[in-house]
Amino acid sequence: MCGIVGYIGGKEAQSILISGLKRLEYRGYDSAGIVTIDKKAKTTLLRAKGKVAELDSKVATHQTSDTAGIGHTRWATHGEPNKRNAHPHHVGDIYLVHNGIIENYQDLKRTLAKHDYTFKSDTDSEVLTALIDYLYKDASSLLEAVSGALKMVVGAYGIALFSVKNPDEIIIARNGSPLIVGVAEDEVFIASDASALVGYTDRVIYLHDGEIGVCTREGIQLYDVDTQVVEAKVEKLELDLQSIQKEGFDHFLLKEIYDQPNSLRSTLSGRINPQTNSVKLGGLNMSDDELRDVRNIMIIGCGTAYYAGMMAGYFIEQFTDDVSVRSEIASELRYRSFHVPDNTVALIVSQSGETADTLACLEELKRRGVKCLGVVNAVGSTIAREVDGGVYVHVGAEISVASTKAFTSQVAAVTMFGLMVARAKGVSSKDLNTYINELDMLPGEIEAVLERSAGEIQQIAKKYAKYDHALYVGRDTHYPIALEGALKLKEVSYIQAEGYAAGELKHGPIALIDDRFFEVCYLQDNWLYEKTQSNIIEMNTRGAHAIVITDTDKRIAAEEVIRIKTKLELLTPLVFNVVSQLLAYYIAVARGNDVDQPRNLAKSVTVE
Ligand code: M6R
């Protein structure tokens, strides 16, 4: 949520900040702003409601040659999205941008009001700016003032700030909200997300919680919150320009749907081998004995990551009867009483690796001594660094707010972990081989669907774009896919969509069926074919507008039937899911929506 950028060096800062904000816009797009400072401490502050393009048009008429500055793109938490609440905030000598939430800002505001501070915005961030300004009056340095302020605040933050008293220094700090520093010759780049740094430098420093950085043209010096020097570890940024560009597609969402054969190949590469019947995840830090001892797997995530865990859990329970799997919504788990049986491994699933609720569960489970493994995409992210071991899904940058390629690869990664457990427990080679073969075939099967069916799905989408509501239904392994399909549709099309287990229809949801609804039904030619078909017939009887996604040639009574040819059996739901992704995409396009940046959402939910 929200994006931070900063630059100090020898180049013109405004265009670097704007380019960084454009790349971070998927993290929040309610308002945006930048401030730059020249060598004589003259500042130029520009802010605009709405997208970075609005801000960019202001820059065109207020160009400077300043070589230092900070910027922000906002996803509103405190205070409505308008120019007044946009960052950077300016109080006294201080300009500041902030990601996160300062929980005790009301108390601090009251205290600062007694010292004659008045506030122009409704934000917690402006209060933090004022606090630093206030402490700076009596501090020996800005670093000391920032350290003092951070000791007084409760909450999460990633901040970048400077004082007009020293135009040659930008200070940054992190607690619970990511910040990355890119270092190059005589310049330092600051960003809340690596994608803003790509193309500028590949030498990066990931800030840890509790660290403060003082950035100058000579480089960065890190400190802890007591201003003791901390050694910075410079790492190589593993992200290329290609993955943050649309490459000829109209939207990132479509590009990322089409990325899936290759992104999945990256996830599987070197990890499975059908010839040797092997599956091996390098970073688990678990011996075969430890894998054999696993009796319970908890899979934790939010949104699509939660559904991916649920999906993989269904597979894992199919191929080993010695393990129980439970999938948990992180925002629920963190606040409820729950018990962790012995011999449990927790899988923490997150594309961004920064989701606040998921991270909170990780911390709680670690506190209880549970072995936690990450299933993460963003290399170097907080979750990736905090877990005991894990697996990167390696899908490259996922820019569209609606997650697609991450889902497919998260399912594959968790399934591979389950296979490793099953193998350690002595599952038959034959059963193991079935799954490994299917995983190996999956990228090609998805490729075939994209090649053969996209045109047909686009046509069907045009017809259903007019509906207000949708039901997605499936049984067994198609239930998580129904949930994920409905989430995708609602996110990008704003059609109210619900996923249901098909067997639940008669227990309530079937009452909804009327001409305002269409239904998406997943019908695989397997042991539940007849049962699911009965559910479709029951819906048809009540006037459903059903779209059936199926792998069979059998006659099916439905308004539309999307037939998918696949050699898969077990992993078929993942292929059907690609159909749902395309359906959601084309419906959203037909409705004229901003599919990559849907309203009210942000890519990475770093606040609760
Ligand atoms: O970065 P994460 O995987 O932890 O994000 C979890 C959810 O916020 C995310 O999957 C969200 O539901 C997507 N917008 C779904 O498309």
Side-chain angles (χ1 to χ4, degrees), residues 302-561:
C302 296
T304 286
Y306 164 66
Y307 294 141
M310 189 176 178
M311 171 84 272
Y314 274 56
F315 292 142
I316 295 173
E317 289 208 339
Q318 279 179 357
F319 54 68
T320 169
D321 52 15
D322 193 36
V323 172
S324 299
V325 185
R326 62 195 250 218
S327 311
E328 299 279 1
I329 299 173
S331 56
E332 278 296 303
L333 186 74
R334 68 178 292 190
Y335 290 120
R336 72 170 165 80
S337 303
F338 66 95
H339 306 287
V340 184
D342 291 343
N343 302 77
T344 294
V345 166
L347 299 185
I348 314 296
V349 185
S350 175
Q351 186 284 129
S352 62
E354 303 290 352
T355 301
D357 287 319
T358 312
L359 184 57
C361 292
L362 167 62
E363 282 160 2
E364 172 59 18
L365 288 162
K366 276 176 69 177
R367 195 188 63 76
R368 295 189 191 197
V370 179
K371 175 101 180 172
C372 293
L373 302 177
V375 179
V376 172
N377 186 40
V379 176
S381 57
T382 311
I383 291 175
R385 283 190 279 121
E386 297 291 315
V387 286
D388 302 309
V391 42
Y392 279 119
V393 294
H394 290 314
V395 302
E398 194 183 60
I399 305 284
S400 174
V401 166
S403 181
T404 50
K405 60 179 178 176
F407 173 86
T408 306
S409 285
Q410 285 161 346
V411 176
V414 178
T415 304
M416 284 191 282
F417 172 75
L419 287 172
M420 285 186 68
V421 172
R423 195 204 48 198
K425 287 175 180 291
V427 72
S428 77
S429 300
K430 185 169 164 286
D431 287 351
L432 196 61
N433 198 247
T434 310
Y435 273 93
I436 291 176
N437 264 322
E438 289 222 0
L439 280 170
D440 190 52
M441 285 192 293
L442 187 59
E445 296 293 300
I446 291 176
E447 213 152 39
V449 171
L450 291 169
E451 273 166 21
R452 288 193 211 123
S453 305
E456 178 194 1
I457 296 166
Q458 186 173 12
Q459 289 313 313
I460 291 175
K462 283 184 191 152
K463 183 170 155 192
Y464 289 88
K466 63 176 188 227
Y467 285 83
D468 297 323
H469 311 278
L471 278 178
Y472 280 64
V473 297
R475 281 175 178 268
D476 186 39
T477 52
H478 294 280
Y479 172 47
I481 293 301
L483 294 170
E484 169 60 10
L487 176 63
K488 220 75 317 166
L489 184 75
K490 73 181 95 166
E491 266 188 301
V492 296
S493 74
Y494 317 142
I495 292 174
Q496 187 246 334
E498 304 304 332
Y500 274 99
E504 275 289 291
L505 282 172
K506 287 198 279 291
H507 301 284
I510 203 164
L512 292 169
I513 290 176
D514 64 18
D515 283 339
R516 296 167 308 156
F517 271 79
F518 71 91
E519 299 75 22
V520 176
C521 315
Y522 301 91
L523 179 63
Q524 187 177 351
D525 194 5
N526 66 9
W527 65 290
L528 282 168
Y529 180 83
E530 309 294 341
K531 300 261 180 227
T532 313
Q533 198 190 31
S534 298
N535 298 130
I536 297 169
I537 292 168
E538 284 157 12
M539 286 194 287
N540 283 341
T541 312
R542 279 135 188 112
H545 300 281
I547 305 169
V548 173
I549 303 169
T550 187
D551 57 349
T552 170
D553 291 331
K554 293 174 195 161
R555 208 190 143 271
I556 292 162
E559 210 168 81
E560 293 289 346
V561 181

Side-chain angles (χ1 to χ4, degrees), residues 249 253-262 450 454 582 586:
F249 286 92
L253 180 54
L254 189 61
K255 180 207 166 205
E256 287 161 9
I257 292 171
Y258 273 84
D259 271 351
Q260 285 174 109
N262 284 334
L450 291 169
L582 287 170
Y586 285 122

Side-chain angles (χ1 to χ4, degrees), residues 564-585:
I564 298 303
K565 285 204 182 317
T566 175
K567 296 191 272 302
L568 302 174
E569 289 179 10
L570 302 161
L571 302 186
T572 302
L574 290 172
V575 180
F576 285 3
N577 185 53
V578 174
V579 177
S580 323
Q581 292 172 347
L582 287 170
L583 193 63
Y585 170 75

Side-chain angles (χ1 to χ4, degrees), residues 29-268:
Y29 30 84
D30 292 337
S31 60
I34 58 171
V35 60
T36 54
I37 183 163
D38 71 11
K39 293 276 169 54
K40 293 185 181 147
K42 180 175 170 294
T43 57
T44 305
L45 172 65
L46 301 169
R47 300 187 298 174
K49 184 180 175 194
K51 299 210 165 187
V52 177
E54 304 294 324
L55 178 68
D56 201 7
S57 58
K58 288 195 168 186
V59 172
T61 52
H62 295 81
Q63 278 179 350
T64 72
S65 52
D66 304 349
T67 53
I70 53 178
H72 191 265
T73 176
R74 178 168 186 250
W75 188 88
T77 56
H78 293 65
E80 67 178 82
N82 56 26
K83 187 178 161 193
R84 195 168 56 85
N85 289 328
H87 301 217
H89 290 285
H90 174 210
V91 181
D93 290 335
I94 307 296
Y95 286 85
L96 174 144
V97 292
H98 167 224
N99 286 354
I101 292 178
I102 304 301
E103 290 168 17
N104 59 339
Y105 82 106
Q106 294 285 17
D107 293 344
L108 295 168
K109 198 172 185 175
R110 274 191 290 276
T111 310
L112 287 161
K114 289 180 195 151
H115 296 281
D116 299 329
Y117 278 91
T118 54
F119 295 89
K120 301 182 281 279
S121 79
D122 311 315
T123 65
D124 51 340
S125 312
E126 189 187 13
V127 175
L128 178 58
T129 317
L131 180 63
I132 294 171
D133 182 69
Y134 172 65
L135 296 177
Y136 191 28
K137 292 182 196 309
D138 291 327
S140 62
S141 66
L142 184 56
L143 173 65
E144 189 185 302
V146 171
S147 153
L150 297 183
K151 285 179 183 164
M152 293 169 71
V153 300
V154 177
Y157 52 79
I159 54 171
L161 66 131
F162 62 73
S163 155
V164 292
K165 286 187 184 154
N166 184 0
D168 296 316
E169 173 186 277
I170 296 176
I171 293 203
I172 58 176
R174 136 170 205 160
N175 183 40
S177 198
L179 274 182
I180 306 169
V181 177
V183 283
E185 196 67 30
D186 298 329
E187 57 186 352
V188 169
F189 300 84
I190 298 153
S192 53
D193 179 326
S195 58
L197 304 179
V198 179
Y200 292 111
T201 178
D202 62 357
R203 293 170 59 230
V204 297
I205 297 163
Y206 295 94
L207 248 69
H208 296 86
D209 280 349
E211 286 180 353
I212 306 174
V214 177
C215 308
T216 64
R217 288 179 179 80
E218 284 70 53
I220 175 170
Q221 177 63 61
L222 290 185
Y223 300 87
D224 67 15
V225 80
D226 294 317
T227 67
Q228 297 301 304
V229 169
V230 172
E231 204 181 321
K233 185 172 161 216
V234 181
E235 300 182 42
K236 188 165 181 333
L237 181 62
E238 307 282 352
L239 201 60
D240 57 16
L241 210 48
Q242 210 183 9
S243 69
I244 59 166
Q245 290 171 338
K246 285 190 203 151
E247 294 184 307
F249 286 92
D250 287 342
H251 299 99
F252 279 109
L253 180 54
L254 189 61
K255 180 207 166 205
E256 287 161 9
I257 292 171
Y258 273 84
D259 271 351
Q260 285 174 109
N262 284 334
S263 55
L264 186 56
R265 284 183 185 113
S266 305
T267 310
L268 300 173

